[in-house]
C-alpha cells in the first residue's frame, strides 16, 4: 500500500481494523512545539463513534499513546509515533464477506490488488477506523498552526437534501469553535435539524446517506504553493482523496464556476486596510495554485456509507455466482458526519507540510 | 516552481509563454514504442487555438521537435525531450499588467511567491500555452496505452447552462473518435449547438464562460492503485489540478453521490460473461482507490477564462490604489473547449505512469 | 529529520535513545509472506550489545513487538509497525554533554540544525541504537529475499590494521551462515583473532578503533537499477550513509580501481554453463548502475566510535570557552563489529525495494 | 531510466550520445539570478574533450542553448531547459558493439534492463557525454552559490600511482581558481607532471588509467542536512554515483578512518575567532549527516575508462560464443581528468538543492 503523504512532513498511517493497533508516524515535525494532549483528545472525540444515535454503536477509545517524538508534551524533533490499540473487534461479523464483496467497498479491489493474503477483516487497512491516526497527526498540526494564527474549521454543507449555509467570506476561530461544539456541525441549527432527520430516516431504513463537507483555512500566509503540480490544490486534493468515501473535491466556486461567466466568477482585487484582498472569494483563496491570502475554501463530497443493512446483490467469488448479501455489524448511517474533523485534520497536515517545506519567512 | 509529475514516468514541463520555447521532458518511457507523429499532431491540433471563431485568434503551430528519446519514430529508452518554439508573441499587450494584476489570474500570487523577477509576460509559466507540452507527452502516452487496449476520451459535459448527456456505461474508442472529430466535442449535437451559442454570446459580451469536462478511460486493468494516498483518485486529482483553470474534480457520481442513499449509490456486483462487473458505475471504476475494471469516469470543472475584455476592478501594486483594468489581447471565450484534449492527456500520462510503476506480475 | 528511505517499500525509522520506544514502519511489503520470528530474533542478536567483552555492557533486549502488518507470522499487506521498548537508560551519564559537544559526534550539529529543543540524551535519534529497527525491517527483507534465492552476507574486512581476506568470487549462503555464527564475523580465524586483539587493545586504552565491512548479495536478478540517478549504487550508497559512522562506500574494486589500468580493471565477459558471466568481478556486479547478475560486492568504511573514555578537547557552548570533556557511560570499542548485520539489513531493504519497484515482466 | 536528482531543485538529464541533442531541465531555480554565460562556458570548457593530447580527439562544442528559464542572462523563475546539439558522431564505430558488449561498460546491462530497442550507439544515455548537461546546471549552481560566499573546487588526488597532496584545512576560491587554470588540475606541479606521464603511458599502450578526485566546498552554512537518510553524505553520494565511472565515495578521512583509533580520528572542537571550529577535519565537515561549518571534503574514485584500444575478451550475444573485441573510436586514456569539473558540478547542484530545500535563514 502507499499510506504516506507529505514532503517536509512525511506522515505514514499504519495498522488495520482488526489487528493489534493502528497508528501514525510523522517525520519532520519541528522540535519544541508544546502539544496540549487534552485539546488533542477533544479533537479526536469529534470523530469517535458511539457518542450519539447518529453514528455507529461501536465504542472506540482512540486515546493515542506516544511512543516517540513527544517528551513531556513537547515535540522532541525525532520522528513521532502514536499508537491506538484496537479492542472492540467482532471479526465474526465479517466472515461472510470474504467470499462476497460488499458493493462499493474496497473488498473486491483490495483482493485484486494485494491478493488473498491481504487482511480485510473489518475493512482492514481500508477501514474508516484508519482515519483516527490521521486525526492524531492532524490535531497536532492544528495546534502548531494555531500558535501561528492559522485556523482550520469545517462544517457539514449538506446531508442528503438538507442544505446548510456556506461559510461567510471571513470565517474565524470563534465560528469554527462554535461549530465543533455542536452534535451536528452545521452553521444553521435548522440545517442541523434537517440533517438529523435525513440521517435518522436513513438509519430507520437500514440505509445510509451522503453529505458534503465545506472546509476553510484562515490565516494561511499568501504566496504558498508551487505550481504547476505542487500547488495548494494539487496537494490538498491528493491527500483528501485518501480519506475513505471522498469522491469529489472542489475549490472556491468549484463546479458552480463552470456555469458562470468570467465577469461573475472573477474576484476583483481591492486594497483595504493595508492589504490586497479580493471582494469575494470564488477562487477559494488560491490563484494559479498559490495562496492569495484570502481564506482557503473547499468542499469534499462524501458518498453514503457503502455498508448498509439492506440486502444487496453481489457475486460469490468462490463460485462465481450472482448472489445476495446482507451486511451485519454496526455502521454509520452517515459517515460524512464523523468525517468533518478528518477533513480538517488532512487540511492541517497538508498546510503544515507546505509551510515547513517553504519556510519563506523564518516563521519556522 | 514544481512543474513535474509522475513516479515511474517523470514528466517535467518547461518554458514560458513569451520565452524562446516551451517543452516537456519525460524520463521512464519504455523503449521500442513506435509513435505515429501524424496521429500525435492531430491530437495536438485539438487544443490548438485559432482554428475556429470559438477560440482565440492567436495562431500557434505547436509542432513539437524531438531532441531526444525518439529515434526514427521509436522511443529509444533515453529520456525524451520535445520542444515547441514560441513565435507569435505580443508582449506589448501585457505591459499594463505588470502593475495591475488581472482578477482571478496568477499574476498577483506568482509575484508573491517568486518575486518581481519572475517572467509573467503572457502569463509566463502559468499560461494556458503550457498545456501544449502536456498534450505532447499525453498524446504519446495515449498511443502507448491504445496499443494495449486502453482508450481515453473526453467530452464537454456542460458549457454555462448548456448540458450534454453523460457517457454511456461502456464508452468505447469509436465513441471517443467520433467526439474528437467534432468542432465542439459533445455527445449530442443539440448540446454542441447550445454550447456554441453560449460561447458566442460570451464572446460578444467581451466575457467568457466556464464548462465541465467528463473523461473516461476504458480497458484499464483492474487492481491498479495504491491506497491510501497513491490511489488512482489521488494521482489523477493531483495532476488534474495542475491544468490551469481546473477548480473541481469528481469521480463517478461525485458530488451527486452526497445527495444519495447508500442503496442508490452502491453499485451491485454482477458476474456477466466471465467477468465481475458492476451493474452501474457510480464509483467511476474506482473502489478504495483501486481500479475495479469498470471504466474510470471523472469530471473536471473548468472556470471561465479569467482574461476577459470587460473593464474590471483591481489594485495598482505600484501605488496601492484601487483602479480599473481593461485586458487587451486575444483570449478564449471558453477555455474548457480547448482543455478537453488536455484532460485526456493528463489522464493518459497518469495512467501510463501507474501501470509502469506497478507492472503487476505476481513475482512477489 | 528525514529518517525514511525506499520508494516501493517506504521505511521510516522512529524513536530516540532515551525515549519510550524506537521502531520502524514499512509501507509496501507484499502480503502473504511468512516471517520466522525466531530467525529474525537471531539476526537481531547479531547487533545486540552486551553479548561479549568486545562490545558495550549495555543490555538491550531489542525484541520487537509487531503492532501491525504481521498477523500470525504472515505479512498482512497493511503497513507494518514494529516497536522496541527502551528500558536500560542512564540519562544522568549524558548531563555534561548538553553544553559540551562530543568531538566527531552529532551533538553539535544536531543542535545547529534542530535547535535546543531537540532531545539528544544518549544521542537521541542519532544514537547507534536506532540501527535496531533498521535490522528489524532488514531481517524481514532478508527472509523475503532468501525465499527467492537472494542471499546477503557481510564480514569484517578489517579492524584497525588487522585485515581479513576478501570474499571469494562466488560467495554463498553457507559461507554467510558460517560467518554469522562467529563471535567476530571474519572469513579467516587468524584475522578474527588479530581483530580481537585490536579491539581489546583499544578498549584497554579507553579508546576505540574503526573497521571496514565487506558485503555481498548473491542471486540478485540481472538487469535491476535505473541509471543515471536511481542505479543500484546510488540507492545503496544513499541508504548506507544513513548508518551512523559510515564514512565511505565503494563498489567492486572501488578506490583500488583508481590505481589500475583499464586492461587490469575491466572484467572480461565469458559464456559459461549457459550464462553470461564475468571472469572476475572488479565491477562489484554493477555496470552502468545496473546489476549484471554477478554478486553485488561493496565495502563500507566505519569510523572508530567517537565516544571514547579518554579526555578530549571541546568547546563549552554555554560560555564559549575551550574546555575538556571526559565521556562516561559504556561505549563500543569497535562499532564496526556490531554494524555488520546493520549493513546487511540496509542492503536487504534496498534490494527488496528495488525489486518491488521494478517487478520486471516485460508487459511493457 | 531515472536521470533525475534533486528535491527542491529537480534536475533531469536527457539525450543520448548519438541522438539529436542532449540537455538538462531544472525546476526550482530561484528567479532573478544573473548567470554569466562566458563564465559558464569557461567552466564547461574544463570537461571538453579534444583540448589536449591527454583526452579524446573528439571535438565537442558543447555550447548550450537556453530554451527557457533564462531571459537576458537572468533566471526567470520558470523551469530551465538547456540544450547542446550533437554533431561529431561516428556511429559506424559502434556497429560491432551491438552484439559484443564492451567489458566493464553498460552495453550488456543496459540491454538486459531496457531491451534491444534501447539506443546504445556511442554509449547512448550512458555515455560520458551526458556529463556535459550536468556541468551546465552545475555551473549555474556554482554561480548562484558563489554570490552567497559558497565556493566549490576539486583536484586530481591521484592518477594511477601518481599522487597529489591533499587540500589544506581551509581551501579557498583563489586555490580553486589556480587549480582550474591548469591543464592537469593538481595542487602540486610535480604531481601533475607524474600524472601526465601516467596518462601518456596508458595512451601509448592503448590502455587507460583510473584516478581519484578530491572535492571541497567552503562557506556552506553549518546546520544543513536531514539525517538519517537525507543527510549531506546521503544526498551527495546518491548523486555522485550517477556520474559514469565513479566506483567509490568517501568523506573526510573516509576509508583511512577505518584504520585509526577514535583518539586519532576525532576532531576536537575549538573556539577560535568567534566561531566553533574543529582543529582538524577528518569528518569532512559533516557530523551526523549535518554540516558543521568546516569545509565539506570528499573523494570520488574514478575507474579507468573501460573503452580501451587493446583486444579484450567478450561474449557474442548473437551466438553465445566466447570471442574477442577490439574497440575502435577515440577514447579518453584517463576519464578522471575530465571528470574533475563534473564532480564539482554535481556537488554544486546538490548543495544548492539542499539550501533551497532548507532555506533556514531567509538567505533565499
Amino acid at each position: 500500500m502507499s499510506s504516506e503523504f507529505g514532503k517536509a512532513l512525511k506522515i505514514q498511517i499504519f495498522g488495520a481494523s482488526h489487528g493489534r493497533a493502528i497508528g501514525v508516524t510523522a517525520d519532520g515535525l519541528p522540535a519544541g512545539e508544546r502539544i496540549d494532549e487534552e485539546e488533542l483528545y477533544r479533537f479526536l472525540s469529534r470523530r469517535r463513534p458511539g457518542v450519539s444515535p447518529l453514528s455507529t454503536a461501536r465504542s472506540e477509545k482512540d486515546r493515542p499513546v506516544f511512543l516517540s517524538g513527544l517528551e513531556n508534551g513537547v515535540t522532541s524533533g525525532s520522528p513521532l509515533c502514536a499508537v491506538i490499540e484496537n479492542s472492540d473487534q467482532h471479526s465474526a461479523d465479517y466472515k461472510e464477506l470474504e467470499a462476497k464483496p460488499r458493493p462499493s467497498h474496497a473488498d473486491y479491489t483490495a483482493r485484486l490488488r494485494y491478493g488473498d493474503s491481504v487482511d480485510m477483516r473489518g475493512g482492514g487497512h481500508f477501514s474508516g477506523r484508519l482515519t483516527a491516526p490521521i486525526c492524531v497527526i492532524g490535531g497536532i498540526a492544528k495546534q502548531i498552526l494555531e500558535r501561528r494564527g492559522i485556523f482550520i474549521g469545517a462544517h457539514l454543507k449538506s446531508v442528503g437534501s438538507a442544505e446548510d449555509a456556506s461559510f461567510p467570506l471571513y470565517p474565524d476561530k470563534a465560528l469554527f469553535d462554535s461549530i465543533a461544539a455542536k452534535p451536528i456541525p452545521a452553521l444553521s441549527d435548522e440545517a442541523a435539524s434537517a440533517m438529523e432527520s435525513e440521517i435518522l430516516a436513513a438509519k430507520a431504513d437500514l440505509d445510509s446517506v451522503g453529505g458534503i463537507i465545506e472546509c476553510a483555512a484562515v490565516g494561511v500566509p499568501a504566496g504558498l504553493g508551487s505550481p504547476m503540480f505542487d500547488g495548494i490544490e494539487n496537494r490538498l486534493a491528493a491527500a483528501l482523496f485518501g480519506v475513505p468515501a471522498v469522491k469529489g473535491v472542489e475549490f472556491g466556486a468549484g463546479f458552480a464556476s463552470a456555469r458562470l461567466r468570467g465577469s461573475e466568477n472573477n474576484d476583483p482585487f481591492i486594497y483595504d486596510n493595508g492589504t490586497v484582498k479580493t471582494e469575494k472569494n470564488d477562487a477559494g483563496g488560491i490563484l494559479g495554485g498559490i495562496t492569495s491570502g484570502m481564506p482557503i475554501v473547499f468542499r469534499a463530497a462524501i458518498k453514503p456509507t457503502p455498508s448498509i443493512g439492506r440486502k444487496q446483490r453481489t457475486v460469490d467469488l468462490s463460485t462465481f455466482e450472482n448472489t445476495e448479501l446482507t451486511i451485519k455489524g454496526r455502521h454509520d448511517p452517515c459517515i460524512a458526519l464523523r468525517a468533518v474533523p478528518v477533513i480538517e485534520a488532512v487540511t492541517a497536515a497538508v498546510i503544515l507540510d507546505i509551510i515547513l517545506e517553504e519556510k519563506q519567512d523564518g516563521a519556522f
Side-chain angles (χ1 to χ4, degrees), chain A:
Chain A
M1 304 186 185
S2 194
S3 293
E4 178 177 308
F5 67 106
K7 297 199 168 182
L9 176 61
K10 280 176 279 238
I11 295 167
Q12 264 191 14
I13 306 298
F14 62 81
S17 181
H18 286 208
R20 181 161 176 172
I22 57 176
V24 60
T25 55
D27 190 336
L29 283 176
E33 295 287 334
R34 179 160 296 283
I35 304 303
D36 181 332
E37 290 197 42
E38 285 313 307
E39 185 182 326
L40 176 62
Y41 192 57
R42 280 193 298 277
F43 178 66
L44 297 178
S45 300
R46 289 174 52 203
R47 75 156 284 288
R48 228 177 43 202
V51 297
S52 102
L54 301 174
S55 66
T56 164
R58 268 177 292 133
S59 105
E60 299 177 8
K61 298 235 182 38
D62 290 356
R63 187 120 207 171
V65 173
F66 291 91
L67 297 182
S68 70
L70 203 64
E71 296 285 334
N72 305 317
V74 177
T75 58
S76 70
S78 301
L80 178 141
C81 179
V83 172
I84 299 171
E85 299 235 355
N86 287 328
S87 46
D88 181 31
Q89 304 161 357
H90 292 241
S91 292
D93 291 348
Y94 292 94
K95 265 280 150 62
E96 186 185 16
L97 306 178
E98 290 206 8
K100 297 184 183 176
R102 289 170 293 177
S104 294
H105 206 287
D107 300 345
Y108 174 62
T109 53
R111 284 182 197 282
L112 287 177
R113 175 75 175 83
Y114 298 109
D116 289 340
S117 311
V118 70
D119 175 18
M120 287 297 286
R121 289 171 300 154
H125 188 65
F126 293 78
S127 165
R129 179 155 167 73
L130 272 294
T131 58
I134 293 178
C135 284
V136 173
I137 188 62
I140 290 172
K142 279 189 82 164
Q143 292 190 26
I144 295 175
L145 292 171
E146 289 189 3
R147 198 166 294 140
R148 287 157 180 87
I150 301 168
F151 299 94
I152 291 161
H155 69 111
L156 276 174
K157 180 72 182 62
S158 72
V159 168
S161 60
E163 278 276 346
D164 193 19
S166 295
F167 271 130
L169 184 56
Y170 291 104
D172 59 17
K173 177 173 165 44
L175 180 62
F176 296 153
D177 286 348
S178 76
I179 297 168
K182 298 182 184 184
I184 292 192
L187 294 170
S188 112
D189 292 338
E190 293 71 33
S193 167
M195 289 170 178
E196 181 169 2
S197 304
E198 287 267 3
I199 297 172
L200 291 175
K203 189 181 181 183
D205 292 346
L206 302 178
D207 211 338
S208 63
V209 63
I212 294 175
I213 294 168
E214 184 174 64
C215 182
V218 300
V220 180
L224 284 181
S226 295
M228 304 174 67
F229 297 105
D230 254 335
I232 300 290
E233 292 156 315
N234 311 257
R235 289 280 275 274
L236 274 173
L240 288 165
F241 278 111
V243 177
V246 169
K247 293 300 281 187
V249 172
E250 61 176 8
F251 294 86
F255 277 88
S257 74
R259 313 209 177 274
L260 299 178
R261 288 283 183 93
S263 57
E264 298 166 309
N265 185 66
N266 285 357
D267 299 328
F269 287 108
I270 50 168
Y271 192 71
D272 174 37
N273 214 350
T275 316
V276 176
K277 300 176 178 171
T278 57
E279 213 170 57
K280 57 190 189 62
N281 190 18
D282 277 353
I286 305 166
L287 291 172
I290 301 171
T291 52
S292 68
M294 293 297 290
I296 295 174
V297 182
F298 69 88
R299 278 167 300 283
I302 313 288
K303 71 177 184 183
T305 321
S307 292
I308 56 176
R310 293 181 161 207
K311 191 180 289 183
Q312 296 183 84
R313 276 168 298 144
T314 186
V315 173
D316 186 320
L317 296 176
S318 59
T319 60
F320 286 107
E321 282 175 348
N322 289 308
T323 181
E324 292 184 328
L325 168 75
T326 304
I327 302 173
K328 294 183 191 67
R330 301 145 298 169
H331 300 283
D332 284 280
C334 178
I335 197 68
L337 178 63
R338 288 173 53 209
V340 172
V342 181
I343 297 300
E344 292 178 20
V346 169
T347 304
V350 169
I351 288 175
L352 178 58
D353 179 39
I354 292 174
I355 289 176
L356 287 170
E357 194 184 353
E358 304 206 355
K359 285 179 296 193
Q360 300 162 303
D361 54 1
F364 280 92

